[in-house]
Amino acid sequence: MKNNVSIKTIADKLQISMSTVSRALHGNTRIGLKTREKVNELAKELHYVPNPGNVYLQGKQTYEIGIIVPALKEEFFVKIIDVLENELRPLGYHLHIFQSQENEDCQIRALDYFKKMRVDGILCSLASNTKRYDKFLEVEEFGIPIVFFDRTPRGISSFSVKSNTEGGALKVMEFLKNKGINKVALINGPANLDTSGDRLNGYLMGVEKFRMESSPSLIKSVALTPESVLEVVKEFVSAKCLPEAVFTFNDYIALYLMKAMKNLGLEPNKDMLIASYGNLPFISHLENPPIVSVEQFPERLGLSALEMLLKRIDSEEPMKPHFKMIDTELVIYPRG
């Protein structure tokens, strides 16, 4: 005979809500231990077997969360995923990871996949070539909440968490000025990224506030590849306009810059000082690391985004778009 025991059966017998039963069966620690034990004991006694199809058809929680990141080769995003998995596991959630590889089409495929899976919510850090947001709006209208982190949309209201990138860039410029440096170049990320815009704003604020030298020839946007950084350094050398220091989009660009300088016979942090963004663990192992890097606290960023998403998932009423800023601080690397 077919087993007709459902979540409703258990809920009626224990006189609790179906949502409480569902959360208890998934091991969600937001439900008290005694309630979880009672639910699981009764489910075992009644030989309850979950039906995934019913979850989708009835629009109930799947306890699945999707996350879209540009690339897992970036340690910044790996640190975020680590802390999210540790936080979600006791709550009974599974985290599904999708890399956009900095490609908007891959990002759209990820959204379609998560929609088909009926995930409870999505966390997203935008691909560098993102130009359209219609798919995100479509997924939201379907009933799946989205929270953006680090790389967030421009020009649309959204639930977003990001670092104080502009403030971090300004701190770098102040640090360099205090070292007596006046001519600073910026090797920035793709112009359409909001994080690139924030770095540029902080850089320009520093130029104006501290009366530093700048010109369009000192501000470069690159494709986040070693080849694009090498071309920029070649431009500096051919124009005979080497800056005193270079502020890079992130630690990886700083690493590409060091390699490019060596290829062209220049010595990093001697012919040009290097300041970077991210303070990722690998730079502390470099023989000649950037003189300063901006700590973004990826764990705090990820947890704040997750907290915002879980509130949206648990809320029975629509919430107004919300933005949260995580502060940054400078980490100075002493010279040997």
Side-chain angles (χ1 to χ4, degrees), residues 34-260:
K34 288 185 178 180
T35 301
R36 277 184 279 147
E37 288 176 345
K38 286 181 180 179
V39 167
N40 281 282
E41 285 173 8
L42 184 56
K44 186 176 181 181
E45 180 185 326
L46 297 175
H47 305 289
Y48 166 74
V49 178
N51 183 340
N54 285 344
V55 172
Y56 296 149
L57 291 172
Q58 296 171 17
K60 300 191 182 303
Q61 278 189 261
T62 61
Y63 285 87
E64 311 286 345
I65 286 178
I67 182 169
I68 306 171
V69 297
L72 287 175
K73 66 182 179 181
E74 290 197 29
E75 197 169 353
F76 175 81
F77 295 113
V78 173
K79 289 166 76 73
I80 288 175
I81 286 170
D82 280 347
V83 75
L84 292 182
E85 287 187 321
N86 290 335
E87 190 73 13
L88 286 169
R89 196 173 295 115
L91 301 178
Y93 283 93
H94 298 96
L95 185 67
H96 296 268
I97 305 161
F98 203 113
Q99 299 180 75
S100 69
Q101 300 291 3
E102 302 287 13
N103 186 295
E104 186 175 39
D105 291 335
C106 290
Q107 187 170 264
I108 289 172
R109 285 199 294 273
L111 291 169
D112 283 333
Y113 174 73
F114 288 145
K115 181 181 173 183
K116 187 179 295 185
M117 281 185 62
R118 309 303 206 269
V119 296
D120 291 333
I122 297 171
L123 295 165
C124 181
S125 187
L126 293 171
S128 60
N129 67 340
T130 302
K131 295 180 177 65
R132 297 180 290 120
Y133 302 112
D134 53 320
K135 180 60 70 172
F136 291 103
L137 297 174
E138 176 188 311
V139 171
E140 283 271 6
E141 289 172 2
F142 185 75
I144 299 176
I146 300 173
V147 172
F148 297 93
F149 66 96
D150 186 48
R151 300 181 184 183
T152 61
R154 283 177 164 177
I156 66 167
S157 296
S158 65
F159 291 82
S160 303
V161 180
K162 63 187 294 187
S163 300
N164 185 1
T165 311
E166 187 177 287
L170 180 59
K171 289 175 184 176
V172 167
M173 297 300 284
E174 182 176 19
F175 172 81
L176 293 173
K177 178 65 177 181
N178 289 338
K179 291 185 73 67
I181 296 166
N182 285 299
K183 189 177 181 180
V184 180
L186 173 67
I187 300 182
N188 209 358
N192 62 302
L193 280 180
D194 67 315
T195 49
S196 296
D198 292 338
R199 283 166 174 75
L200 177 60
N201 290 340
Y203 168 85
L204 293 175
M205 287 168 61
V207 167
E208 181 178 0
K209 182 175 182 179
F210 306 118
R211 297 181 181 178
M212 301 169 81
E213 181 182 343
S214 185
S215 69
S217 64
L218 291 174
I219 302 172
K220 306 290 185 180
S221 291
V222 298
L224 306 181
T225 63
E227 296 78 13
S228 61
V229 175
L230 177 59
E231 290 306 311
V232 166
V233 182
K234 285 180 178 178
E235 288 178 24
F236 289 154
V237 172
S238 63
K240 298 181 180 179
C241 63
L242 284 183
E244 297 172 81
V246 181
F247 179 30
T248 65
F249 179 77
N250 60 24
D251 292 328
Y252 292 99
I253 300 300
L255 200 60
Y256 302 157
L257 174 60
M258 292 175 186
K259 183 178 179 181

